[in-house]
Amino acid sequence: MTKSERIAWILRIVAAGILLQTLFFKFSGAKESIYIFSTLGIEPYGRIGSGIAELVVAILILIPRTTWIGALGGCGVMAGAVFSHLFVLGIVVQNDGGFLFLLAIITLLCCLGLLYFNKNKLFNLLNLK
């Protein structure tokens, strides 16, 4: 396994791990999740829908053949989370010290890194060389 393959696996595991561990809070209706999605005006459908999207993205990221699709979806989902924090929720939500925002940034950076490692697949999709 090459160094870049190792790095890609680390990025996969970190991104998928963060995405998967937040599902419990979304699907169990944790008060923090309900607060966030109520503040955004999309509770409960936004909470459950984003949880489903994050589950699909995490699975796609972990499958090497579909990593780039998951990473692309992950960038979209995490961009939404980051923008929600910056423009609606604030970086600190319910005294979390900015932890959820930090997780969103880390996941976004991991997904961007995975897209970089899979740029040839993206270029082929866009028919660029």
PDB file of all heavy atoms in Angstrom, residues 52-78:
ATOM      1  N   ILE A  52     -30.135  10.495   6.851  1.00  0.00           N
ATOM      2  CA  ILE A  52     -30.130   9.500   5.776  1.00  0.00           C
ATOM      3  C   ILE A  52     -29.049   9.832   4.755  1.00  0.00           C
ATOM      4  O   ILE A  52     -28.303   8.950   4.318  1.00  0.00           O
ATOM      5  CB  ILE A  52     -31.521   9.411   5.119  1.00  0.00           C
ATOM      6  CG1 ILE A  52     -32.528   8.807   6.106  1.00  0.00           C
ATOM      7  CG2 ILE A  52     -31.467   8.587   3.821  1.00  0.00           C
ATOM      8  CD1 ILE A  52     -33.980   8.927   5.674  1.00  0.00           C
ATOM      9  N   ALA A  53     -28.953  11.108   4.393  1.00  0.00           N
ATOM     10  CA  ALA A  53     -27.925  11.528   3.432  1.00  0.00           C
ATOM     11  C   ALA A  53     -26.529  11.232   3.974  1.00  0.00           C
ATOM     12  O   ALA A  53     -25.661  10.733   3.243  1.00  0.00           O
ATOM     13  CB  ALA A  53     -28.068  13.015   3.113  1.00  0.00           C
ATOM     14  N   GLU A  54     -26.293  11.507   5.238  1.00  0.00           N
ATOM     15  CA  GLU A  54     -24.980  11.257   5.843  1.00  0.00           C
ATOM     16  C   GLU A  54     -24.674   9.767   5.918  1.00  0.00           C
ATOM     17  O   GLU A  54     -23.523   9.363   5.743  1.00  0.00           O
ATOM     18  CB  GLU A  54     -24.893  11.909   7.214  1.00  0.00           C
ATOM     19  CG  GLU A  54     -24.844  13.425   7.130  1.00  0.00           C
ATOM     20  CD  GLU A  54     -24.882  14.107   8.483  1.00  0.00           C
ATOM     21  OE1 GLU A  54     -24.678  13.441   9.519  1.00  0.00           O
ATOM     22  OE2 GLU A  54     -25.118  15.328   8.510  1.00  0.00           O
ATOM     23  N   LEU A  55     -25.684   8.941   6.159  1.00  0.00           N
ATOM     24  CA  LEU A  55     -25.485   7.493   6.168  1.00  0.00           C
ATOM     25  C   LEU A  55     -25.071   6.999   4.784  1.00  0.00           C
ATOM     26  O   LEU A  55     -24.098   6.250   4.648  1.00  0.00           O
ATOM     27  CB  LEU A  55     -26.761   6.789   6.623  1.00  0.00           C
ATOM     28  CG  LEU A  55     -26.746   5.256   6.573  1.00  0.00           C
ATOM     29  CD1 LEU A  55     -25.643   4.696   7.481  1.00  0.00           C
ATOM     30  CD2 LEU A  55     -28.108   4.706   6.971  1.00  0.00           C
ATOM     31  N   VAL A  56     -25.759   7.455   3.756  1.00  0.00           N
ATOM     32  CA  VAL A  56     -25.427   7.064   2.377  1.00  0.00           C
ATOM     33  C   VAL A  56     -24.025   7.533   2.013  1.00  0.00           C
ATOM     34  O   VAL A  56     -23.219   6.778   1.453  1.00  0.00           O
ATOM     35  CB  VAL A  56     -26.480   7.607   1.390  1.00  0.00           C
ATOM     36  CG1 VAL A  56     -26.038   7.424  -0.053  1.00  0.00           C
ATOM     37  CG2 VAL A  56     -27.832   6.938   1.624  1.00  0.00           C
ATOM     38  N   VAL A  57     -23.704   8.767   2.344  1.00  0.00           N
ATOM     39  CA  VAL A  57     -22.387   9.328   2.052  1.00  0.00           C
ATOM     40  C   VAL A  57     -21.289   8.521   2.748  1.00  0.00           C
ATOM     41  O   VAL A  57     -20.270   8.195   2.133  1.00  0.00           O
ATOM     42  CB  VAL A  57     -22.337  10.826   2.468  1.00  0.00           C
ATOM     43  CG1 VAL A  57     -20.914  11.332   2.582  1.00  0.00           C
ATOM     44  CG2 VAL A  57     -23.128  11.673   1.479  1.00  0.00           C
ATOM     45  N   ALA A  58     -21.496   8.185   4.018  1.00  0.00           N
ATOM     46  CA  ALA A  58     -20.486   7.423   4.767  1.00  0.00           C
ATOM     47  C   ALA A  58     -20.252   6.061   4.127  1.00  0.00           C
ATOM     48  O   ALA A  58     -19.098   5.624   3.986  1.00  0.00           O
ATOM     49  CB  ALA A  58     -20.915   7.267   6.225  1.00  0.00           C
ATOM     50  N   ILE A  59     -21.308   5.388   3.730  1.00  0.00           N
ATOM     51  CA  ILE A  59     -21.165   4.079   3.085  1.00  0.00           C
ATOM     52  C   ILE A  59     -20.411   4.218   1.770  1.00  0.00           C
ATOM     53  O   ILE A  59     -19.487   3.453   1.486  1.00  0.00           O
ATOM     54  CB  ILE A  59     -22.547   3.424   2.879  1.00  0.00           C
ATOM     55  CG1 ILE A  59     -23.143   3.032   4.238  1.00  0.00           C
ATOM     56  CG2 ILE A  59     -22.439   2.208   1.959  1.00  0.00           C
ATOM     57  CD1 ILE A  59     -24.615   2.654   4.186  1.00  0.00           C
ATOM     58  N   LEU A  60     -20.782   5.208   0.967  1.00  0.00           N
ATOM     59  CA  LEU A  60     -20.105   5.418  -0.320  1.00  0.00           C
ATOM     60  C   LEU A  60     -18.625   5.742  -0.129  1.00  0.00           C
ATOM     61  O   LEU A  60     -17.780   5.299  -0.907  1.00  0.00           O
ATOM     62  CB  LEU A  60     -20.792   6.525  -1.118  1.00  0.00           C
ATOM     63  CG  LEU A  60     -22.179   6.198  -1.665  1.00  0.00           C
ATOM     64  CD1 LEU A  60     -22.837   7.451  -2.229  1.00  0.00           C
ATOM     65  CD2 LEU A  60     -22.106   5.109  -2.713  1.00  0.00           C
ATOM     66  N   ILE A  61     -18.307   6.519   0.888  1.00  0.00           N
ATOM     67  CA  ILE A  61     -16.914   6.880   1.158  1.00  0.00           C
ATOM     68  C   ILE A  61     -16.084   5.636   1.503  1.00  0.00           C
ATOM     69  O   ILE A  61     -14.933   5.519   1.090  1.00  0.00           O
ATOM     70  CB  ILE A  61     -16.826   7.925   2.291  1.00  0.00           C
ATOM     71  CG1 ILE A  61     -17.230   9.303   1.759  1.00  0.00           C
ATOM     72  CG2 ILE A  61     -15.429   7.985   2.897  1.00  0.00           C
ATOM     73  CD1 ILE A  61     -17.363  10.377   2.816  1.00  0.00           C
ATOM     74  N   LEU A  62     -16.659   4.709   2.233  1.00  0.00           N
ATOM     75  CA  LEU A  62     -15.911   3.535   2.676  1.00  0.00           C
ATOM     76  C   LEU A  62     -15.689   2.499   1.572  1.00  0.00           C
ATOM     77  O   LEU A  62     -14.801   1.656   1.692  1.00  0.00           O
ATOM     78  CB  LEU A  62     -16.615   2.878   3.864  1.00  0.00           C
ATOM     79  CG  LEU A  62     -16.533   3.669   5.164  1.00  0.00           C
ATOM     80  CD1 LEU A  62     -17.410   3.035   6.234  1.00  0.00           C
ATOM     81  CD2 LEU A  62     -15.093   3.805   5.642  1.00  0.00           C
ATOM     82  N   ILE A  63     -16.456   2.555   0.508  1.00  0.00           N
ATOM     83  CA  ILE A  63     -16.287   1.629  -0.616  1.00  0.00           C
ATOM     84  C   ILE A  63     -15.327   2.281  -1.602  1.00  0.00           C
ATOM     85  O   ILE A  63     -15.662   3.309  -2.204  1.00  0.00           O
ATOM     86  CB  ILE A  63     -17.638   1.316  -1.289  1.00  0.00           C
ATOM     87  CG1 ILE A  63     -18.607   0.685  -0.275  1.00  0.00           C
ATOM     88  CG2 ILE A  63     -17.443   0.409  -2.505  1.00  0.00           C
ATOM     89  CD1 ILE A  63     -20.041   0.591  -0.756  1.00  0.00           C
ATOM     90  N   PRO A  64     -14.118   1.725  -1.781  1.00  0.00           N
ATOM     91  CA  PRO A  64     -13.117   2.384  -2.624  1.00  0.00           C
ATOM     92  C   PRO A  64     -13.617   2.783  -4.021  1.00  0.00           C
ATOM     93  O   PRO A  64     -13.269   3.844  -4.525  1.00  0.00           O
ATOM     94  CB  PRO A  64     -11.992   1.349  -2.711  1.00  0.00           C
ATOM     95  CG  PRO A  64     -12.102   0.596  -1.420  1.00  0.00           C
ATOM     96  CD  PRO A  64     -13.582   0.511  -1.149  1.00  0.00           C
ATOM     97  N   ARG A  65     -14.433   1.966  -4.620  1.00  0.00           N
ATOM     98  CA  ARG A  65     -14.930   2.251  -5.967  1.00  0.00           C
ATOM     99  C   ARG A  65     -15.854   3.479  -6.006  1.00  0.00           C
ATOM    100  O   ARG A  65     -15.973   4.141  -7.034  1.00  0.00           O
ATOM    101  CB  ARG A  65     -15.664   1.022  -6.458  1.00  0.00           C
ATOM    102  CG  ARG A  65     -16.003   1.010  -7.883  1.00  0.00           C
ATOM    103  CD  ARG A  65     -16.656  -0.312  -8.208  1.00  0.00           C
ATOM    104  NE  ARG A  65     -16.432  -0.646  -9.591  1.00  0.00           N
ATOM    105  CZ  ARG A  65     -16.688  -1.803 -10.119  1.00  0.00           C
ATOM    106  NH1 ARG A  65     -17.163  -2.774  -9.364  1.00  0.00           N
ATOM    107  NH2 ARG A  65     -16.477  -2.019 -11.379  1.00  0.00           N
ATOM    108  N   THR A  66     -16.531   3.750  -4.890  1.00  0.00           N
ATOM    109  CA  THR A  66     -17.494   4.857  -4.860  1.00  0.00           C
ATOM    110  C   THR A  66     -17.061   5.995  -3.931  1.00  0.00           C
ATOM    111  O   THR A  66     -17.861   6.888  -3.653  1.00  0.00           O
ATOM    112  CB  THR A  66     -18.878   4.346  -4.421  1.00  0.00           C
ATOM    113  OG1 THR A  66     -18.772   3.779  -3.102  1.00  0.00           O
ATOM    114  CG2 THR A  66     -19.422   3.323  -5.387  1.00  0.00           C
ATOM    115  N   THR A  67     -15.824   5.940  -3.479  1.00  0.00           N
ATOM    116  CA  THR A  67     -15.344   6.980  -2.554  1.00  0.00           C
ATOM    117  C   THR A  67     -15.555   8.373  -3.105  1.00  0.00           C
ATOM    118  O   THR A  67     -16.001   9.273  -2.384  1.00  0.00           O
ATOM    119  CB  THR A  67     -13.846   6.761  -2.240  1.00  0.00           C
ATOM    120  OG1 THR A  67     -13.706   5.542  -1.521  1.00  0.00           O
ATOM    121  CG2 THR A  67     -13.279   7.900  -1.414  1.00  0.00           C
ATOM    122  N   TRP A  68     -15.260   8.574  -4.364  1.00  0.00           N
ATOM    123  CA  TRP A  68     -15.360   9.925  -4.942  1.00  0.00           C
ATOM    124  C   TRP A  68     -16.809  10.421  -4.946  1.00  0.00           C
ATOM    125  O   TRP A  68     -17.044  11.614  -4.743  1.00  0.00           O
ATOM    126  CB  TRP A  68     -14.740   9.968  -6.340  1.00  0.00           C
ATOM    127  CG  TRP A  68     -15.499   9.202  -7.377  1.00  0.00           C
ATOM    128  CD1 TRP A  68     -15.415   7.872  -7.643  1.00  0.00           C
ATOM    129  CD2 TRP A  68     -16.454   9.733  -8.283  1.00  0.00           C
ATOM    130  NE1 TRP A  68     -16.267   7.544  -8.663  1.00  0.00           N
ATOM    131  CE2 TRP A  68     -16.918   8.659  -9.079  1.00  0.00           C
ATOM    132  CE3 TRP A  68     -16.965  11.010  -8.509  1.00  0.00           C
ATOM    133  CZ2 TRP A  68     -17.870   8.827 -10.084  1.00  0.00           C
ATOM    134  CZ3 TRP A  68     -17.916  11.177  -9.509  1.00  0.00           C
ATOM    135  CH2 TRP A  68     -18.359  10.097 -10.281  1.00  0.00           C
ATOM    136  N   ILE A  69     -17.763   9.530  -5.140  1.00  0.00           N
ATOM    137  CA  ILE A  69     -19.173   9.937  -5.122  1.00  0.00           C
ATOM    138  C   ILE A  69     -19.568  10.330  -3.697  1.00  0.00           C
ATOM    139  O   ILE A  69     -20.221  11.360  -3.482  1.00  0.00           O
ATOM    140  CB  ILE A  69     -20.080   8.798  -5.642  1.00  0.00           C
ATOM    141  CG1 ILE A  69     -19.724   8.435  -7.076  1.00  0.00           C
ATOM    142  CG2 ILE A  69     -21.549   9.187  -5.537  1.00  0.00           C
ATOM    143  CD1 ILE A  69     -20.366   7.149  -7.579  1.00  0.00           C
ATOM    144  N   GLY A  70     -19.161   9.516  -2.731  1.00  0.00           N
ATOM    145  CA  GLY A  70     -19.432   9.838  -1.339  1.00  0.00           C
ATOM    146  C   GLY A  70     -18.765  11.129  -0.906  1.00  0.00           C
ATOM    147  O   GLY A  70     -19.358  11.931  -0.182  1.00  0.00           O
ATOM    148  N   ALA A  71     -17.525  11.326  -1.350  1.00  0.00           N
ATOM    149  CA  ALA A  71     -16.798  12.553  -0.995  1.00  0.00           C
ATOM    150  C   ALA A  71     -17.478  13.778  -1.592  1.00  0.00           C
ATOM    151  O   ALA A  71     -17.568  14.823  -0.940  1.00  0.00           O
ATOM    152  CB  ALA A  71     -15.352  12.458  -1.455  1.00  0.00           C
ATOM    153  N   LEU A  72     -17.971  13.647  -2.814  1.00  0.00           N
ATOM    154  CA  LEU A  72     -18.683  14.756  -3.451  1.00  0.00           C
ATOM    155  C   LEU A  72     -19.953  15.071  -2.671  1.00  0.00           C
ATOM    156  O   LEU A  72     -20.242  16.237  -2.364  1.00  0.00           O
ATOM    157  CB  LEU A  72     -18.995  14.394  -4.906  1.00  0.00           C
ATOM    158  CG  LEU A  72     -19.451  15.502  -5.828  1.00  0.00           C
ATOM    159  CD1 LEU A  72     -18.413  16.609  -5.922  1.00  0.00           C
ATOM    160  CD2 LEU A  72     -19.724  14.926  -7.218  1.00  0.00           C
ATOM    161  N   GLY A  73     -20.707  14.028  -2.319  1.00  0.00           N
ATOM    162  CA  GLY A  73     -21.899  14.226  -1.496  1.00  0.00           C
ATOM    163  C   GLY A  73     -21.566  14.771  -0.125  1.00  0.00           C
ATOM    164  O   GLY A  73     -22.267  15.639   0.405  1.00  0.00           O
ATOM    165  N   GLY A  74     -20.473  14.281   0.455  1.00  0.00           N
ATOM    166  CA  GLY A  74     -20.040  14.752   1.760  1.00  0.00           C
ATOM    167  C   GLY A  74     -19.677  16.234   1.740  1.00  0.00           C
ATOM    168  O   GLY A  74     -19.979  16.961   2.686  1.00  0.00           O
ATOM    169  N   CYS A  75     -19.049  16.676   0.659  1.00  0.00           N
ATOM    170  CA  CYS A  75     -18.738  18.101   0.529  1.00  0.00           C
ATOM    171  C   CYS A  75     -20.017  18.928   0.524  1.00  0.00           C
ATOM    172  O   CYS A  75     -20.091  19.983   1.169  1.00  0.00           O
ATOM    173  CB  CYS A  75     -17.935  18.362  -0.744  1.00  0.00           C
ATOM    174  SG  CYS A  75     -16.210  17.880  -0.635  1.00  0.00           S
ATOM    175  N   GLY A  76     -21.022  18.443  -0.183  1.00  0.00           N
ATOM    176  CA  GLY A  76     -22.294  19.158  -0.226  1.00  0.00           C
ATOM    177  C   GLY A  76     -22.977  19.216   1.125  1.00  0.00           C
ATOM    178  O   GLY A  76     -23.409  20.293   1.579  1.00  0.00           O
ATOM    179  N   VAL A  77     -23.062  18.078   1.788  1.00  0.00           N
ATOM    180  CA  VAL A  77     -23.712  18.018   3.097  1.00  0.00           C
ATOM    181  C   VAL A  77     -22.954  18.872   4.113  1.00  0.00           C
ATOM    182  O   VAL A  77     -23.552  19.633   4.883  1.00  0.00           O
ATOM    183  CB  VAL A  77     -23.828  16.549   3.579  1.00  0.00           C
ATOM    184  CG1 VAL A  77     -24.308  16.478   5.016  1.00  0.00           C
ATOM    185  CG2 VAL A  77     -24.759  15.756   2.673  1.00  0.00           C
ATOM    186  N   MET A  78     -21.636  18.758   4.118  1.00  0.00           N
ATOM    187  CA  MET A  78     -20.845  19.506   5.094  1.00  0.00           C
ATOM    188  C   MET A  78     -20.796  21.002   4.776  1.00  0.00           C
ATOM    189  O   MET A  78     -20.731  21.823   5.693  1.00  0.00           O
ATOM    190  CB  MET A  78     -19.432  18.935   5.196  1.00  0.00           C
ATOM    191  CG  MET A  78     -19.382  17.585   5.888  1.00  0.00           C
ATOM    192  SD  MET A  78     -20.052  17.611   7.568  1.00  0.00           S
ATOM    193  CE  MET A  78     -21.610  16.779   7.343  1.00  0.00           C
TER     194      MET A  78
END
